Amino acid sequence: MAKKKAKKKKKNSTGRKILYIILVVILLIIVSKYLPQEGGQVAVLVNGEPIYLSEVEDTYSKLEAAERLYVTKDMLIGLLVDNKLLLQKAEESGFKVTDNEVDLMVDAYKGYLPEGQFEEQVMSDQNKFNKFKEDVKENLIVQKYLKSKIPEVEVLPEEVLAFLEQYKSRLSGDMVKASHILVETMEIAEEVLSQLKDGADFAELAMEYSLDPGSGAAGGDLGWFGRGIMVPEFEEAAFSLEPGEISEPVESSFGFHIIKLFNKTSITMPNITQVRPLIESSLFNVKLQTNTDRFTELLNQIKNESIIEIIVTFAETTTTTEAATSTTKLETLVTEQQTTTTKEATTTTLNNEAVFKNSCLADYDIYQDMVFYFSEDNERSMSMFELVEGLNGGSKVYFLEKESDKISVLDECFPELNKQILPQLVCISSEEIKLGELSEEELADFAESCS
C-alpha cells in the first residue's frame, strides 16, 4: 500500500472507516447517479412486496470494473431483501419520520457535495429527486427501529463534534478515486503496463500481479482519497492524471506503482450544522458494524417470520440472502452474474462440510432421493406441487411442508438452507438445491440427475 505511516493508520482505522463511508457513499453513489427507477419485472417478493429487477441491474451498472470482481448480484439481492425486511418491521412497529427530518438529511447531502452538484445529479430530474427523498425517509425509519433494538448504536452529540474536530482538515480539498498495481521491480511494472496498453483489464492484472494485499484482491481499488494520505511520489502522480488515464511506473519506498485514475473532484468544508445529520448517520452505520452479532441475530429473527419468494434468479453462483452490515440503500454493493428467465430456477450446492448426513435424515424417517420444501400458502409451491408429485408417483420425493411438525429437519440436517425461500427441491445424494419454480422439463432433468 502506498499510504504513509502504516502504524498510525491502524490507530485511526475507525476514523478512516467513517471517512470512507462519508466520502465514498456520497461521492461514488450520488455522483454516479445511483437511484434506480422501480417498476417492470419483479425479482423478489418479500412478504408480498416486490423488489424489481431494475433495482438490481441499474445499481450494478454503476459499479467500476474493480468493484464487480468482488461483489455479486446475489449480495445486492440479499441487501435489498434485508432493507425491505427491516423497513417492514420498523413500519409495523410504528416508527415514523417527519418531513422536516427528511428535509434536513436531504439538505445535508446537498451541503456536502461541491456546489451545484446535487442539483445537477439529483434535483434536475423530479422523479429521481422524489425517489431519493423516499430512500432517505426509509433509511431514517430503519435507523430509529434499530436504535430501539440495539441502543449501543445511538450516536451522541459529543461524538459528532469529536469527529468533525479530528477530521475537518480532510473534509475539504481535492480528491481522486484511483486504483493501482504494486510490483517489486521496474521490469515487472513495464511488463504489466505493456499488457494494459494492449487492452488488458486493469482490475484483473491487479489481482494477478499486485503485491498490495488490501487493494490487490479488490482489483487495485483504493477508493477516494485526498492530499496528504499517500506517499508524495504516489500522490503527485495520481493527482496529475485525468480520469481514464494510466500512469507510467511510479517508484516509491513500497515498490513500483501503476496508477489508474477513475474520477476527481474538489470539495469545500461544509457547514457543520447543515451536514450534521449525515455525519450522525455515518457514525451510526459504523457503530452498527461493531455490533454485527446483535444486528444479525435481530435480522435472522425477522427472516424466520417472513416469506421471501425468488422470481428472477441468477444462475452462475450460489444464491444467498446475506445479512446487511449497513441499513442505508446508498451503501449497496453488487457484482457480476448473468440473469436467467423468470421461470428458471437457481442451482446451488451446500458447502463441503457435508450437511446431508444419512443418519440425520434417518432420524426423521427420510429415505427418498429428494426433499421438496414448500408451503400451501405459496402460489409457486402449489403450482409446482403436482409436477413433483408426478415423479414416480411421488416415491422419489419427501414432501416437507413449511408448517410441518418435522420442519426442524432443516435446522438439523440442512443448516445452510434458507427457509424463507419457497419452493426448494433438494437432491440428497449430490447436495444440489433448486431454488424457485421449475418447469416440467427442468424438473424431469433434475430428477434424472438425482437418481
Side-chain angles (χ1 to χ4, degrees), residues 324-384:
T325 54
S326 169
T327 60
T328 173
K329 292 179 182 177
L330 298 178
E331 293 177 68
T332 301
L333 292 177
V334 294
T335 192
E336 187 173 22
Q337 290 176 355
Q338 300 300 315
T339 56
T340 61
T341 61
T342 300
K343 290 294 183 179
E344 185 175 352
T346 296
T347 301
T348 181
T349 303
L350 300 189
N351 67 18
N352 294 327
E353 296 182 358
V355 296
F356 293 94
K357 303 293 186 182
N358 288 334
S359 59
C360 178
L361 296 169
D363 288 340
Y364 289 90
D365 297 321
I366 298 176
Y367 302 99
Q368 288 86 348
D369 296 331
M370 295 179 285
V371 174
F372 180 55
Y373 175 56
F374 71 102
S375 171
E376 293 182 353
D377 297 328
N378 179 259
E379 180 180 345
R380 290 176 183 79
S381 293
M382 298 316 295
S383 66
M384 188 175 161

Side-chain angles (χ1 to χ4, degrees), residues 185-197:
T185 67
M186 175 62 82
E187 182 180 4
I188 299 175
E190 290 176 342
E191 177 187 340
V192 171
L193 185 60
S194 176
Q195 293 185 53
L196 289 169
K197 290 179 178 179

Side-chain angles (χ1 to χ4, degrees), residues 52-105:
Y52 294 98
L53 180 61
S54 60
E55 294 182 68
V56 182
E57 299 294 351
D58 290 352
T59 307
Y60 176 59
S61 70
K62 304 300 185 292
L63 295 180
E64 305 288 355
E67 294 163 331
R68 297 185 185 187
L69 290 174
Y70 59 95
V71 199
T72 68
K73 283 184 181 176
D74 285 336
M75 291 180 187
L76 172 60
I77 288 290
L79 185 59
L80 292 176
V81 167
D82 291 344
N83 280 334
K84 182 75 73 175
L85 287 171
L86 289 167
L87 178 63
Q88 289 174 346
K89 196 65 175 179
E91 292 179 332
E92 177 187 312
S93 302
F95 287 91
K96 299 178 181 179
V97 295
T98 65
D99 290 342
N100 184 57
E101 288 175 292
V102 174
D103 291 341
L104 286 173
M105 182 62 81

